[in-house]
Amino acid sequence: MRQLGRFYLIAILLFLYTPIAVMMAMGFNESPLYELPFTFSTRWYEALLSNQPLLKAGANSIIIALITAVIATTLGTMASVALSRRTFRGKSLLQLLLLPPIAIPWLITGTAMLIFFYWSGIGRGMHALLIGHVALAIPYVVLVVGTGFKTVRADLEEAAMSLGSTPVHAFFSVTLPLLYPSILGAALFAFAVSLDQFVISYFLATPGYTTLPVQIYSAIRKGFTPEINAISTLLLLGSMAVILIFARFAKPGDTRDKR
Amino acid sequence: MQNDQLALAQTRGSVDPRVKRPLPAWVSTTALLLPTYGWLTIAIFLPLLTMLAFSFMSATPMGKTPVEFTLKQYRAFIDQPYLLRIGFNSLMMGFWTTLFCAILGFLAAVALVRATVGKTRETLLVLILLPFWTNGLVRVFSWTMVLRENGFLDNILHMVVPDAGSISILYTRYAVVLGLVHGYLPYMILTCYIALVTIDDAIIEAAASLGARWWTILYKILIPMAAPGLISGAVLIFIPVIGSFMEPRILGGRVGVTMGTVIEDQFTQAFNWPLGASLSFTLLAVVLAIFATFSGVLRGRTAG
């Protein structure tokens, strides 16, 4: 029975990873029409270096993800302080209001943003993408930092205050250092959410300002070469690295008391 | 000694003229919350309200055509019966994807809990969840490499049977469901795993030593224990799947027409925003109804 279970899990992993591996391998195959037999070549990666639209879209993606991570982490951590440490009326309603960005299909949120941004004059482009990406990342930040708060005892801050520290000083010198792995984890998570976001970006991008996933999507629909495999491979490895570092920092299941 | 210092610090704290009187708590609470909820209002809540308003308009308010209040966008399902069939297809796509995810995911969670321990289990969990946090678009794209005519699957087949034809299923509904299952399976494995990991091994051993067969253990212990995980996994998969549009587009080609792609078309091709808005809101109504039905189970999950 135990053997069967392990065999099954290996089959599941094969199912999950085979297409990805095939896609990555094809980026190193000489033939522009994905013909086999396989001939190793780095020509598609070399071609990437001179593909300005893709490179620009890639740079846009990284910049947007960095800014999103900074803004979403700052705002989300502030909200998390209030939601984790304060008691006030309407708290559960506010917590409920964090769900729509995660729970409503992005197609609906994305088209709604398109309508509102057009109608209100905000328009499309980089700033519109930022507004959307930060909104999608904030709930995750509140969640990750909120989990972090459960491991930091509230009485440490009270002790600091009773020793003459101001509330702000107590937070920055006692709670924040203990919370920093969660905050860093939340920032990485926000970065990954933004880097992989496609649907919202698709509706808010302009011909002059796109992100990598939007560019890949239009390439898939209009005809493409293994260059797309090459850039997809880089994107995939990039976000996998970010998530592995996140798992290292945030340890989502770890609720041990940090003293 | 320590107490003296504590007392000293406290008196200093209260006498020191540099220390301002603390602001009332609600002021700082509001200041902490305002940026986040202000941002969400501009990015999520106002857009949804605007879309609701647009869904009652007779035309996209951009050109010279006068715009009137109308309910006709919501009559689209009656006026254009093909939309009903597309809606039904989308629901079926959600149903099959969720069903396959439930079966494969539940079994994977059982295998994780029963057949692995410690570091191996941790590594397997990370490996299973890793693809989930990578780009969904790229993962869908990689299936085209496998399924296309003369692609990976065809080549494997030709290695075994050299003169067999193509078994390409690209641009069929099967391909769409396959791609969706691939995308959402890790979700179900995770929710089932969280539900099952609390099972005490002793319960199963006790059942087995009392003569329970494996199917009895499955139906009387494992499935009931995993039920909250199965339900929340199903909700969390069904909802994004019925709103998906890039998976049907890329893997379904001409047959991949769903509510998602119809809505996308209204915004990117047909430029009929009011119809797109009303279809989006119909979809949202379905989503909210599902959440309302299962909110009890979902809340139990997040609290526990």
Side-chain angles (χ1 to χ4, degrees), chain B residues 124-141:
Chain B
L124 280 171
L125 257 181
V126 170
L127 281 177
I128 287 169
L129 293 178
L130 194 55
F132 189 66
W133 287 108
T134 63
N135 197 289
L137 175 68
V138 169
R139 278 180 293 144
V140 171
F141 168 60

Side-chain angles (χ1 to χ4, degrees), chain A residues 16-36:
Chain A
L16 289 176
Y17 283 93
T18 306
I20 297 173
V22 171
M23 188 278 292
M24 287 180 171
M26 284 303 177
F28 289 104
N29 188 18
E30 175 83 39
S31 160
L33 299 170
Y34 300 98
E35 274 161 353
L36 295 170

Side-chain angles (χ1 to χ4, degrees), chain B residues 86-154:
Chain B
I86 292 171
F88 179 74
N89 284 345
S90 303
L91 291 177
M92 288 314 283
M93 181 177 74
F95 171 77
W96 286 113
T97 305
T98 309
L99 183 70
F100 282 121
C101 282
I103 296 169
L104 294 174
F106 168 76
L107 291 176
V110 171
L112 270 173
V113 172
R114 301 292 303 155
T116 64
V117 280
K119 271 261 176 288
T120 325
R121 185 191 287 185
E122 256 173 55
T123 315
L124 280 171
L125 257 181
V126 170
L127 281 177
I128 287 169
L129 293 178
L130 194 55
F132 189 66
W133 287 108
T134 63
N135 197 289
L137 175 68
V138 169
R139 278 180 293 144
V140 171
F141 168 60
S142 40
W143 274 107
T144 64
M145 298 282 123
V146 175
L147 299 178
R148 65 210 291 273
E149 217 167 298
N150 212 10
F152 181 72
L153 264 189
D154 272 3

Side-chain angles (χ1 to χ4, degrees), chain A residues 6-160:
Chain A
R6 284 193 195 139
F7 185 76
Y8 178 72
L9 286 172
I10 291 170
I12 290 283
L13 285 180
L14 277 178
F15 170 65
L16 289 176
Y17 283 93
T18 306
I20 297 173
V22 171
M23 188 278 292
M24 287 180 171
M26 284 303 177
F28 289 104
N29 188 18
E30 175 83 39
S31 160
L33 299 170
Y34 300 98
E35 274 161 353
L36 295 170
F38 186 85
T39 325
F40 182 82
S41 157
T42 53
R43 66 179 277 203
W44 303 113
Y45 284 84
E46 283 155 29
L48 265 190
L49 291 176
S50 53
N51 189 330
Q52 285 307 320
L54 270 188
L55 288 183
K56 192 159 169 291
N60 289 345
S61 279
I62 292 173
I63 292 168
I64 289 259
L66 281 174
I67 304 177
T68 298
V70 171
I71 300 178
T73 310
T74 313
L75 301 193
T77 305
M78 285 166 66
S80 192
V81 171
L83 291 172
S84 307
R85 285 290 149 89
R86 306 286 175 85
T87 43
F88 51 89
R89 276 173 61 195
K91 187 164 149 180
S92 47
L93 175 70
L94 285 186
Q95 279 167 330
L96 200 67
L97 285 179
L98 289 171
L99 289 180
I102 310 181
I104 296 177
W106 288 329
L107 174 70
I108 298 176
T109 352
T111 51
M113 283 180 194
L114 174 63
I115 292 179
F116 176 68
F117 291 177
Y118 164 77
W119 174 80
S120 66
I122 294 176
R124 298 186 294 167
M126 182 181 181
H127 58 290
L129 281 168
L130 264 179
I131 296 175
H133 282 206
V134 170
L136 294 192
I138 282 178
Y140 292 109
V141 172
V142 176
L143 205 70
V144 173
V145 176
T147 314
F149 258 114
K150 284 183 191 149
T151 68
V152 179
R153 290 167 33 177
D155 50 4
L156 289 179
E157 214 171 293
E158 280 155 25

